[in-house]
Amino acid sequence: MIKNLLRFFQKKIILFCLLIICLIIAALFFVRFSETKKQQKKLPKIDLSIKIKKTLEKAHVFFDAGKYDSAYFYFNKTQLLCDPKEDYADEYVGSLNYMVEILQRYGNFYEAETNLIKAFPYLEKTSSKKYAINAYTFMAFNYFYTYNNEKALYYHRKALKTAISTFRKARILSEIAFVYVQQKKFQEAKDILEPISKYKIVDKVTPSNTNIVRSGMLYNLALAYIGLGNHKEQALKCLDESLELTIPYNNDFELIANYFGYYLYYSKYYNPELKKFYAEQSYHAAKRAKSAGNEIDRLADLLEMDKAENAKKYWEIYTRKNDSLYLSRKTAKNQFADVIYDSKKDKEENFELKNQKAERELQLQRQKNRSYISYVVISLSLFVILFLIFYITTKGKREKNDIMLKSEMRISQKLHSELNSNIYETLLFIQDYNLEDKCNKEKLLNSLNSIYSKTRNISRENSKVLTDDRYVGALKEMISEYKTQNVNIILNGFDSIPWNKIDKNKKIILYRILQELLFYMKKSNSSSLVSIITKEIDKNLVIYYTDNSNEITSENSILEKRLQNVENRIETIKGTINFDANSESGFKISFKLPI
């Protein structure tokens, strides 16, 4: 009683100490955090709006002139000047969007995604929905270019939910339909584009975009019609209207797609001459637009369908262009990598404009706070770990000793109950009878042999059960020990069971159950025949045990104990047991356990 009280108070004291330590750490952390917040509030704010505006103007000038490396440098410089948590969220997100567009042109999709992720936390702080729409759209393009169409659709849909104007929604729906076309979901693309293509939706902010977007919408609808088939007239009508809207802009880059649409159309509805004609038109438009990638793709189309004499000519051009494109892209990529590197180096200069001295002091203070907290957390963690190790080790030893004591008591009781009378009778026999007599000597040997057999059985009942490949052999050997001249045991199905698939714990439980049943069978001394059948049914191991006992009835205490022990073991492995209480021909029981 006193020991239990001491243990209780010890546990309470330990918990109390841990609570006190946690409260002290929380108080110190709160004080440090408050000091850091005060220092942050004291930092003087610098008006960078003029600097940001001028840098952004330079970036737009270079972007409009097609000098993307310089544009990227100044867009990056702009976003470094901005502090989106406090102000300039529009300039910050807008600059990152332009940087992403440039990165995608150069095929640097990993860097593009990194920049978009930086913009996402500040989309709600921007003054216009267009920043969020552009960010989601660029992320969709990024996934589309990297062949992840499902992610592309996800971000297009986010852009669609964000969009307010009808024109922006129509443009996003057209882009969603284009992804469906690439997935060969032509019916879904058609269902999206047909309703909105019936109306001319105007861009009220930039009216010049109206016809370009409608041209792209009709082109995508034509691709859906071509993919579906049986829409010959509708597809041609869409292609004609799309081309008619594109021609006034005198934009060869847009014409590449228009002519390519005709090439696909006449490939679908077999017309070799027109197919070749529009393949050449698309190739020449790509050539005029100086779009090397499209030029090579169109050359590949011409090679696929042209005659041998022209194929050689196109093949020479194709090889030369392909090599040239590879070198130019490699050079551009290296130059652009230098621009990104130089832009990152410029970061230090921009931070100096944001009160470099105050920022460094704040960083040092933050580092001290992190170090202090780390030391406290590590110390507390070590203390808790040591306490847990000590507690678990002590508890484990105590439980192990309890288990050993219970096991020893059980074995002792069994030895006493089963061997006490035999040993006593044997000792009396030795005292009362002449052991020189051959008959008496034979009886003594039989008595000693009986004591040995019982001792060996008790030892086996408490010994380790093999669960490896030798399991079935050990199981059969255990069963055979209960076979005598008067008791015949029949086994069936043991060799057909996949024992290696059965859990070790379940094997041990099965071993002990059969041992339990056979022990009580032998103890009742009323059976002459035992049958044990094993089957695998629906991923379950089913065991049928039958003996022809004639002394065990439902009121018998031996039967109750026999069933209770088996039932307890079965429950531990979530098995089921079925006992035939109405059997007139002996004891019948079956149990099932999952494999």
Side-chain angles (χ1 to χ4, degrees):
M1 182 67 179
I2 295 171
K3 287 184 178 179
N4 291 334
L5 285 172
L6 285 172
R7 284 180 184 174
F8 175 78
F9 284 117
Q10 283 175 355
K11 287 181 180 179
K12 290 290 181 182
I13 290 166
I14 291 168
L15 290 172
F16 180 74
C17 291
L18 285 173
L19 181 62
I20 293 296
I21 291 168
C22 291
L23 288 172
I24 292 169
I25 291 168
L28 290 171
F29 180 77
F30 179 77
V31 170
R32 292 286 184 179
F33 184 75
S34 300
E35 289 176 359
T36 306
K37 280 289 182 184
K38 287 178 183 178
Q39 289 180 3
Q40 287 177 338
K41 288 178 182 178
K42 290 177 183 178
L43 286 174
K45 287 189 176 181
I46 299 173
D47 187 7
L48 296 171
S49 56
I50 297 173
K51 180 74 174 176
I52 290 170
K53 184 179 178 182
K54 287 183 178 180
T55 310
L56 194 57
E57 284 175 356
K58 286 182 182 179
H60 281 295
V61 169
F62 284 119
F63 185 86
D64 294 337
K67 297 179 180 179
Y68 299 118
D69 51 354
S70 300
Y72 184 92
F73 178 83
Y74 283 102
F75 279 127
N76 187 55
K77 195 169 184 178
T78 303
Q79 67 93 10
L80 290 173
L81 286 167
C82 298
D83 185 4
K85 291 181 181 178
E86 301 293 334
D87 204 352
Y88 314 116
D90 288 358
E91 291 80 1
Y92 179 78
V93 175
S95 297
L96 286 172
N97 282 340
Y98 274 105
M99 289 167 66
V100 168
E101 186 175 353
I102 295 167
L103 287 164
Q104 287 179 347
R105 286 174 182 266
Y106 282 88
N108 193 341
F109 303 114
Y110 175 79
E111 191 78 21
E113 184 175 358
T114 303
N115 283 320
L116 282 168
I117 290 169
K118 286 164 61 179
F120 279 178
Y122 308 104
L123 295 180
E124 293 183 359
K125 292 189 176 184
T126 55
S127 61
S128 174
K129 296 286 186 182
K130 69 177 182 180
Y131 296 105
I133 294 167
N134 290 338
Y136 292 140
T137 301
F138 282 129
M139 185 63 90
F141 288 156
N142 218 58
Y143 280 114
F144 177 77
Y145 295 141
T146 52
Y147 308 102
N148 192 337
N149 289 325
E150 291 302 323
K151 279 282 190 179
L153 288 171
Y154 171 78
Y155 281 101
H156 275 316
R157 288 171 185 141
K158 283 182 74 72
L160 185 64
K161 287 180 182 178
T162 310
I164 297 173
S165 72
T166 307
F167 179 79
R168 281 188 179 274
K169 288 182 177 180
R171 187 176 68 180
I172 296 165
L173 284 170
S174 178
E175 289 160 353
I176 290 172
F178 184 70
V179 177
Y180 280 141
V181 168
Q182 304 310 309
Q183 292 180 314
K184 301 191 183 300
K185 295 180 179 179
F186 303 113
Q187 185 62 45
E188 287 87 338
K190 172 179 170 291
D191 293 341
I192 290 173
L193 293 171
E194 268 190 346
I196 59 177
S197 66
K198 294 176 182 178
Y199 306 96
K200 186 175 181 180
I201 303 168
V202 179
D203 185 357
K204 295 178 182 178
V205 179
T206 312
S208 58
N209 287 338
T210 301
N211 287 341
I212 287 292
V213 172
R214 179 165 177 77
S215 173
M217 189 187 304
L218 292 167
Y219 171 75
N220 292 339
L221 181 56
L223 294 182
Y225 282 141
I226 293 167
L228 285 170
N230 300 323
H231 293 78
K232 185 175 181 181
E233 293 180 3
Q234 295 98 315
L236 185 59
K237 183 180 177 183
C238 288
L239 288 171
D240 289 341
E241 188 178 345
S242 177
L243 180 62
E244 186 180 341
L245 290 168
T246 306
I247 287 173
Y249 289 91
N250 197 26
N251 188 330
D252 287 313
F253 193 83
E254 295 291 336
L255 286 171
I256 297 169
N258 286 113
Y259 291 134
F260 182 66
Y262 282 107
Y263 164 77
L264 293 175
Y265 176 84
Y266 289 113
S267 299
K268 178 78 173 181
Y269 302 104
Y270 190 68
N271 190 328
E273 292 181 1
L274 288 175
K275 176 183 174 183
K276 180 182 177 183
F277 172 75
Y278 283 109
E280 289 175 340
Q281 291 298 315
S282 185
Y283 165 67
H284 291 310
K287 198 173 180 181
R288 291 193 300 272
K290 296 181 181 179
S291 176
N294 280 302
E295 191 176 346
I296 288 170
D297 290 338
R298 301 295 77 79
L299 277 170
D301 295 334
L302 289 168
L303 277 170
E304 177 264 328
M305 64 183 175
D306 218 325
K307 295 179 182 178
E309 57 268 20
N310 290 329
K312 184 178 180 182
K313 177 185 71 175
Y314 287 133
W315 176 253
E316 290 174 355
I317 299 170
Y318 176 84
T319 307
R320 188 173 67 253
K321 290 281 183 184
N322 202 24
D323 293 341
S324 175
L325 178 65
Y326 173 76
L327 290 171
S328 63
R329 280 182 174 175
K330 187 176 180 181
T331 304
K333 189 174 182 180
N334 291 337
Q335 290 174 347
F336 193 65
D338 292 338
V339 171
I340 294 173
Y341 176 72
D342 292 338
S343 297
K344 288 179 179 177
K345 282 178 67 178
D346 194 57
K347 184 177 181 180
E348 188 175 338
E349 177 189 340
N350 287 305
F351 276 124
E352 288 177 357
L353 296 170
K354 295 181 180 182
N355 200 336
Q356 189 180 56
K357 184 178 180 180
E359 183 66 25
R360 284 181 178 176
E361 288 177 357
L362 182 60
Q363 289 295 333
L364 286 171
Q365 185 62 39
R366 285 175 178 171
Q367 185 63 40
K368 286 179 182 178
N369 291 342
R370 283 197 292 268
S371 300
Y372 179 76
I373 292 166
S374 299
Y375 291 141
V376 173
V377 170
I378 290 168
S379 301
L380 182 61
S381 300
L382 286 172
F383 175 77
V384 172
I385 289 167
L386 289 171
F387 172 75
L388 288 173
I389 290 170
F390 175 76
Y391 176 74
I392 292 168
T393 305
T394 307
K395 186 180 178 183
K397 287 179 179 178
R398 188 167 61 250
E399 289 177 352
K400 189 175 179 181
N401 291 333
D402 290 343
I403 291 168
M404 289 176 66
L405 181 61
K406 287 179 182 178
S407 180
E408 289 172 0
M409 289 294 293
R410 181 172 53 81
I411 294 168
S412 176
Q413 288 174 0
K414 195 158 190 177
L415 286 169
H416 181 270
S417 62
E418 294 195 18
L419 298 178
N420 186 46
S421 60
N422 293 66
I423 293 171
Y424 181 72
E425 288 173 3
T426 303
L427 290 173
L428 288 176
F429 183 83
I430 293 170
Q431 290 176 359
D432 297 341
Y433 293 91
N434 182 13
L435 297 180
E436 295 296 329
D437 187 355
K438 186 176 181 181
C439 183
N440 292 337
K441 188 183 291 186
E442 187 69 27
K443 287 180 180 180
L444 176 61
L445 289 173
N446 290 335
S447 180
L448 291 173
N449 186 55
S450 176
I451 293 169
Y452 167 74
S453 298
K454 288 183 178 181
T455 308
R456 186 183 63 176
N457 289 337
I458 292 169
S459 175
R460 283 182 176 274
E461 286 174 15
N462 296 278
S463 63
K464 184 179 178 182
V465 177
L466 295 172
T467 57
D468 53 14
D469 295 337
R470 297 170 290 174
Y471 173 76
V472 67
L475 184 61
K476 288 179 178 180
E477 184 181 349
M478 181 275 293
I479 294 170
S480 67
E481 289 175 359
Y482 292 91
K483 188 176 181 180
T484 64
Q485 292 180 352
N486 299 321
V487 179
N488 188 24
I489 300 175
I490 300 172
L491 303 180
N492 191 2
F494 278 73
D495 294 328
S496 63
I497 302 299
W499 296 105
N500 291 333
K501 294 181 181 179
I502 300 174
D503 181 65
K504 290 182 179 180
N505 188 44
K506 292 176 182 177
K507 288 181 181 179
I508 294 169
I509 296 293
L510 173 61
Y511 186 98
R512 295 301 184 200
I513 288 171
L514 292 176
Q515 195 174 46
E516 192 88 29
L517 290 169
L518 291 167
F519 171 77
Y520 281 108
M521 177 275 300
K522 188 174 182 180
K523 190 171 183 179
S524 68
N525 198 24
S526 62
S527 300
S528 60
L529 181 63
V530 178
S531 171
I532 304 174
I533 301 170
T534 59
K535 291 182 180 180
E536 182 186 2
I537 303 173
D538 296 331
K539 295 184 179 179
N540 288 297
L541 179 62
V542 184
I543 296 91
Y544 301 94
Y545 174 90
T546 307
D547 64 43
N548 61 347
S549 303
N550 54 19
E551 294 181 1
I552 297 177
T553 63
S554 58
E555 294 81 18
N556 196 307
S557 61
I558 297 176
L559 175 61
E560 290 176 3
K561 189 172 182 180
R562 189 175 183 182
L563 289 173
Q564 184 182 356
N565 291 344
V566 171
E567 190 173 3
N568 290 340
R569 291 184 187 275
I570 284 290
E571 285 179 356
T572 60
I573 53 174
K574 297 180 180 179
T576 57
I577 184 170
N578 184 27
F579 170 62
D580 188 359
N582 298 319
S583 175
E584 297 179 358
S585 58
F587 177 79
K588 290 183 181 180
I589 188 172
S590 64
F591 48 93
K592 180 169 65 175
L593 53 96
I595 294 179

